Amino acid sequence: MELSGFGVRSKMWIDVYVQALYQSFYSDKPFEVMQSNTEMAIRIQITSAMVSSGKLTRNFNSGFERSAGANLEALRPRIEKFKSYLSDQIVEKDVFNLIYNPADASVYVYKNDELKGTVPGIDFKIALFGIWLSNNPVDEQLKKGRVYFLKLPITPASNSFTSYFPSSLNPILTITKSRDGIINTFCPW
């Protein structure tokens, strides 16, 4: 999978996480990405000590309500299962990887590279990715930042890319590509 875009989620002027979207195919159409039955992942790196398990799961509740629409009640047991994987204490610099595998149509939930569990169903995946990519996302600015699907200039010569806040020398995200092709993200907060 290739990194295709990222954005920063802010609440009340505080950046709470950096989120990156990885795709096995490239599309700049949010609906197409959301509906696609192809391998993809969302990586969330917590950037604020103000994020707790309770706050994160409440935000996921709100996001699922916005993205699932009429399917919300049918998805409810799987949403609760998903939220149970987020119940451990959350601290700044924790990383969550939400990886969709089309081979078994399941979302794999990792926290700090430890598998917490899986949630089956492409309908669940569509609702999950819809939290950020649907026509009614939890954060329109975050969607716009990712929907531009920055084709990041990671070249064999440089093997890295750093994004900065506008009019600032403070990096928000550094992305490096190792010799074996593994892409790593680093958020300095």
Side-chain angles (χ1 to χ4, degrees):
M1 288 186 283
E2 293 287 325
L3 178 67
S4 60
F6 66 91
V8 178
R9 173 82 158 125
S10 298
K11 293 283 266 183
M12 297 174 33
W13 307 286
I14 297 171
D15 297 330
V16 293
Y17 61 77
V18 173
Q19 181 178 20
L21 174 66
Y22 294 81
Q23 298 179 76
S24 59
F25 76 103
Y26 177 75
S27 174
D28 62 354
K29 296 173 181 67
F31 185 78
E32 185 177 294
V33 173
M34 189 177 75
Q35 295 286 325
S36 173
N37 189 25
T38 59
E39 186 179 30
M40 62 183 60
I42 289 181
R43 179 181 175 95
I44 299 172
Q45 183 167 341
I46 306 299
T47 58
S48 170
M50 295 182 66
V51 177
S52 68
S53 176
K55 288 178 185 175
L56 188 62
T57 56
R58 279 193 299 278
N59 283 323
F60 271 108
N61 274 338
S62 174
F64 279 116
E65 287 170 8
R66 295 172 74 109
S67 73
N71 294 334
L72 182 63
E73 288 311 311
L75 291 170
R76 181 75 60 200
R78 287 178 282 163
I79 291 170
E80 294 304 316
K81 181 178 184 179
F82 171 77
K83 291 185 332 185
S84 75
Y85 301 146
L86 309 175
S87 63
D88 295 345
Q89 179 183 5
I90 295 174
V91 297
E92 190 173 350
K93 298 190 180 179
D94 275 347
V95 175
F96 292 91
N97 289 305
L98 312 175
I99 302 169
Y100 177 70
N101 181 351
D104 64 358
S106 293
V107 173
Y108 289 70
V109 180
Y110 290 85
K111 179 182 178 189
N112 300 326
D113 295 325
E114 177 188 339
L115 179 63
K116 303 305 273 182
T118 63
V119 183
I122 189 167
D123 56 341
F124 176 80
K125 175 263 184 187
I126 291 169
L128 176 64
F129 281 66
I131 290 172
W132 303 281
L133 297 173
S134 71
N135 290 332
N136 192 18
V138 292
D139 186 327
E140 189 66 40
Q141 293 305 311
L142 180 62
K143 177 183 175 181
K144 285 180 183 175
R146 200 172 24 268
V147 165
Y148 292 134
F149 292 104
L150 310 169
K151 259 322 216 187
L152 301 172
I154 299 176
T155 64
S158 70
N159 280 333
S160 69
F161 168 81
T162 300
S163 178
Y164 294 88
F165 283 116
S167 305
S168 171
L169 295 178
N170 299 319
I172 58 170
L173 185 67
T174 299
I175 301 157
T176 58
K177 190 172 187 178
S178 67
R179 286 185 207 168
D180 56 3
I182 296 173
I183 294 180
N184 297 297
T185 58
F186 171 72
C187 181
W189 308 307

